[in-house]
Amino acid sequence: SDLERRNASTATGTTRACTVMVTADALNARTSPDGNAPVVDTYHRGEVVSADRTTSNGFRELAPGRWVAAEFVEPTPGSDCG
């Protein structure tokens, strides 16, 4: 079926998305990879969110203008976070 073909190509495809699980009770997302940067959002333990492969200064970029401390997120099994 169409769905099976799509699933097969995803499983063996060249691009896997990066998703991470939050391991801190509360994790602040900041505007830049700096612990003093303004907070734009807060994530909670167990949340799974899309992330970018980009890391800088101990932070991982989730999306443009959204950075979290890398030590408090863990790539989910099978995701490609670089």
Side-chain angles (χ1 to χ4, degrees), residues 31-42:
T31 58
S32 65
D34 178 338
N36 295 314
V39 174
V40 292
D41 205 351
T42 303

Side-chain angles (χ1 to χ4, degrees), residues 13-39:
T14 54
T15 309
R16 291 185 316 235
C18 172
T19 56
V20 295
M21 186 172 73
V22 177
T23 60
D25 288 334
L27 178 61
N28 290 327
R30 298 181 180 275
T31 58
S32 65
D34 178 338
N36 295 314
V39 174

Side-chain angles (χ1 to χ4, degrees), residues 2-3 7 9 13 15-16 22 47 62 66 68-69 76-78 81:
D2 230 14
L3 184 60
N7 286 344
S9 68
T15 309
R16 291 185 316 235
V22 177
E47 277 189 71
L62 299 184
R66 296 172 94 75
V68 296
T76 58
C81 294

